[in-house]
Amino acid sequence: MRIPTITNTLLLCTAAVLAGCASPVLELEQQVEQQANREQLQLPELPTDLSSDTSAAVKNLLQQPLSFQSVAQVAVLNNPDFLAALAGLNISKAQLQQAGLLPNPGLSISRSRSNDGYETELEFGFDLFGLLFRHKNLAIAQQQANQQQYQLAEQLLALVAQSRLALAEAVTAQQQLTYLQQVQEAIDASAELASRMYQVGNYSALQQARAQKYAAEVKLQLAQAQQRHMQSREALYRQLGLWGSDLAVQLPQQLPDLPDAFAADPDAERQAVSQRLDLQQARVALAAKAKQLQLTQSSRFLRGLDAELAGSAQHSESRSLTLGFELPLFDHHNARLSQAQAGLQQQFYLAQAKAVNARSEVRLNQAMLAQQYDIARHYQQQLVPLAKRINQENLLRYNGMLIGVFELIADTQAQVATITGAMQALNSYHQARIRYEHSLWGAAAPVSSAQPEASAAAPAGH
């Protein structure tokens, strides 16, 4: 059977149209990979079997005590929320690939009967508007895909910061709990001694009551420390996506020491404005709005444009070309143009607001870091050494029978407040450092959910 002439013509026309609109190479800026490399982190490969078991890499990292680096790596590899967002990025890539494809042409066949016999008509149509403005639509889709890249990179930075904040809180809570357990043993022994001295008449009822009160307050402090320890552990587990046998994570004995000196970075604001992901995302969104406005302006009176080629399968000389377009009689698309202009203006001011907030966050976080450094240094260089010296002097006086058990217990209780305060001050410094470093690249990191309302303090009563 001979192929009809109209069919050959339509095939040649289709080839010509497709050759003139070849799909460009689609590339996404790998913002997520760049941020992961900056943090020296390895992004996970999503499993195809949808397994919820922790990977071998995670189990290997959990064999050693966690550090600020390893806890971030475990979170990136195992946090379900981040893995879901990473899968969403593949959706974005697929959508961008779809946007880069040419629209399929349409072909319709109609058969009619007349006095001369049957007549077969072939109609070949394609969306001319979509072809003419395909590159502009593709550029907009590219900008939207880049925005999602920035969003996921921000989520990566937030996860790293939150996991490190959770680790700092868990280590401090564990350290305070261990210390208060040791204190309770000494205080209980002192309270028992005071009770015996009261029974033999060497202690008054008031002295015995005070000793028992101190012991009871230490037990209360210990119960509160156990609660903070449990809360901080669970917050850490959530960040790392751990459960079951993986909950037996090892924590370091204490947080890293303070650096020898602290120096503010006068260039921090400029760095943040140039590199923060939320500001880069705002710039991408502004560029997308500008492209949308250009598309609206250039296609204002060309909407609904399409073309059709038609002809008879029996008579090759019978063919026609039809162009269709929208008549702008009632809707001149002024509202659509105004909406695009207002959207561009809105995005411009939103980007400005983010820049102002970014500068403020960096200034505040750097000031808070400097203050927390001074507080922690004051504890380490002044308060803790003085508390230990007072305790040593009182031990000498107690051994020389110059003071009694009551005075020794009171001094021990005061030392508890100083030591636990120093632990909390070091924790606050590291949390301030994590937030400051995060603010140079992304929006402000949230406060750790396990952070206690107040650091341990000496109970009143004497």
Side-chain angles (χ1 to χ4, degrees):
M1 177 179 180
R2 185 177 61 88
I3 300 178
T5 306
I6 183 62
T7 305
N8 293 333
T9 303
L10 295 179
L11 290 175
L12 291 174
C13 182
T14 302
V17 172
L18 296 181
C21 298
S23 178
V25 177
L26 304 180
E27 295 182 357
L28 282 176
E29 297 179 13
Q30 300 299 322
Q31 295 295 331
V32 182
E33 292 184 1
Q34 291 177 10
Q35 292 303 318
N37 293 335
R38 187 183 67 83
E39 295 284 350
Q40 298 181 350
L41 300 173
Q42 181 66 40
L43 289 175
E45 294 185 5
L46 298 180
T48 57
D49 58 354
L50 300 181
S51 173
S52 62
D53 294 336
T54 53
S55 65
V58 171
K59 291 184 179 296
N60 185 52
L61 289 169
L62 296 178
Q63 296 300 315
Q64 303 295 328
L66 292 175
S67 64
F68 283 133
Q69 182 62 26
S70 65
V71 74
Q73 182 63 76
V74 172
V76 168
L77 292 175
N78 206 52
N79 183 278
D81 291 328
F82 179 73
L83 295 179
L86 199 59
L89 182 61
N90 293 332
I91 298 177
S92 176
K93 291 179 179 179
Q95 291 173 340
L96 180 59
Q97 183 180 9
Q98 182 66 42
L101 298 177
L102 290 166
N104 290 324
L107 178 65
S108 62
I109 303 175
S110 61
R111 186 171 177 82
S112 60
R113 183 178 180 181
S114 63
N115 294 332
D116 298 331
Y118 288 97
E119 185 77 13
T120 302
E121 293 283 339
L122 301 179
E123 293 185 358
F124 173 82
F126 53 89
D127 181 8
L128 189 58
F129 178 85
L131 290 176
L132 290 176
F133 296 97
R134 171 178 170 274
H135 291 289
K136 290 184 179 295
N137 286 323
L138 182 59
I140 294 174
Q142 177 81 49
Q143 297 284 14
Q144 293 173 344
N146 286 341
Q147 280 185 266
Q148 187 167 357
Q149 279 266 345
Y150 283 114
Q151 291 172 356
L152 183 56
E154 275 196 279
Q155 189 170 348
L156 170 65
L157 288 179
L159 176 62
V160 169
Q162 290 169 354
S163 62
R164 289 171 175 169
L165 290 171
L167 176 63
E169 194 62 47
V171 171
T172 301
Q174 175 180 268
Q175 191 178 14
Q176 289 179 340
L177 176 61
T178 302
Y179 175 71
L180 287 173
Q181 287 173 337
Q182 298 172 353
V183 170
Q184 185 193 27
E185 295 177 1
I187 293 297
D188 287 345
S190 299
E192 179 63 24
L193 177 60
S195 178
R196 293 181 181 181
M197 293 180 67
Y198 169 74
Q199 292 176 0
V200 298
N202 293 332
Y203 246 37
S204 65
L206 176 61
Q207 290 174 316
Q208 183 203 20
R210 283 177 173 173
Q212 291 177 341
K213 181 174 181 292
Y214 287 145
E217 287 175 339
V218 169
K219 289 182 180 180
L220 177 61
Q221 285 182 288
L222 182 60
Q224 293 171 341
Q226 289 172 336
Q227 185 181 49
R228 288 193 299 271
H229 178 258
M230 178 183 64
Q231 290 174 340
S232 64
R233 278 271 184 167
E234 289 299 330
L236 180 61
Y237 296 151
R238 288 194 297 271
Q239 291 298 326
L240 303 186
L242 301 180
W243 58 283
S245 60
D246 295 325
L247 297 182
V249 296
Q250 303 179 54
L251 301 182
Q253 295 298 320
Q254 61 184 24
L255 295 175
D257 295 333
L258 287 174
D260 296 333
F262 173 79
D265 184 2
D267 201 37
E269 278 189 56
R270 186 197 62 81
Q271 291 181 20
V273 171
S274 64
Q275 68 190 17
R276 272 182 56 142
L277 294 176
D278 55 339
L279 300 185
Q280 294 184 50
Q281 181 184 344
R283 297 185 189 107
V284 171
L286 184 62
K289 290 292 184 180
K291 290 183 181 297
Q292 184 67 51
L293 176 59
Q294 293 175 359
L295 175 61
T296 303
Q297 290 172 332
S298 58
S299 64
R300 185 177 179 184
F301 298 110
L302 295 177
R303 293 190 172 274
L305 182 64
D306 57 19
E308 287 186 359
L309 285 174
S312 172
Q314 286 78 21
H315 308 287
S316 60
E317 67 278 2
S318 176
R319 62 177 69 94
S320 64
L321 172 64
T322 304
L323 292 178
F325 56 90
E326 178 185 286
L327 293 177
L329 298 179
F330 308 106
D331 182 5
H332 298 170
H333 300 291
N334 291 327
R336 188 188 301 273
L337 182 60
S338 298
Q339 180 181 358
Q341 292 172 337
L344 178 62
Q345 187 179 44
Q346 181 188 47
Q347 189 60 48
F348 173 78
Y349 289 114
L350 287 175
Q352 279 195 336
K354 286 188 175 183
V356 171
N357 292 337
R359 291 179 179 274
S360 177
E361 287 174 4
V362 171
R363 290 195 303 268
L364 177 60
N365 286 331
Q366 186 166 224
M368 293 296 295
L369 177 59
Q371 292 178 355
Q372 292 297 340
Y373 178 85
D374 291 339
I375 292 172
R377 177 64 70 183
H378 184 68
Y379 264 103
Q380 291 188 1
Q381 293 186 344
Q382 298 292 328
L383 296 179
V384 172
L386 286 174
K388 291 181 177 179
R389 179 180 174 185
I390 292 172
N391 183 258
Q392 292 172 354
E393 293 294 330
N394 278 331
L395 281 175
L396 292 175
R397 295 178 66 192
Y398 175 76
N399 293 332
M401 302 183 67
L402 298 178
I403 61 173
V405 176
F406 170 72
E407 291 79 8
L408 192 62
I409 293 177
D411 172 66
T412 301
Q413 191 65 19
Q415 187 181 18
V416 168
T418 302
I419 299 299
T420 55
M423 295 175 183
Q424 189 60 46
L426 182 60
N427 175 34
S428 298
Y429 162 76
H430 281 289
Q431 297 218 6
R433 176 186 58 79
I434 294 169
R435 293 192 186 94
Y436 167 67
E437 292 173 352
H438 178 80
S439 68
L440 294 175
W441 289 92
V447 178
S448 173
S449 60
Q451 186 170 355
E453 296 180 358
S455 58
H462 72 281

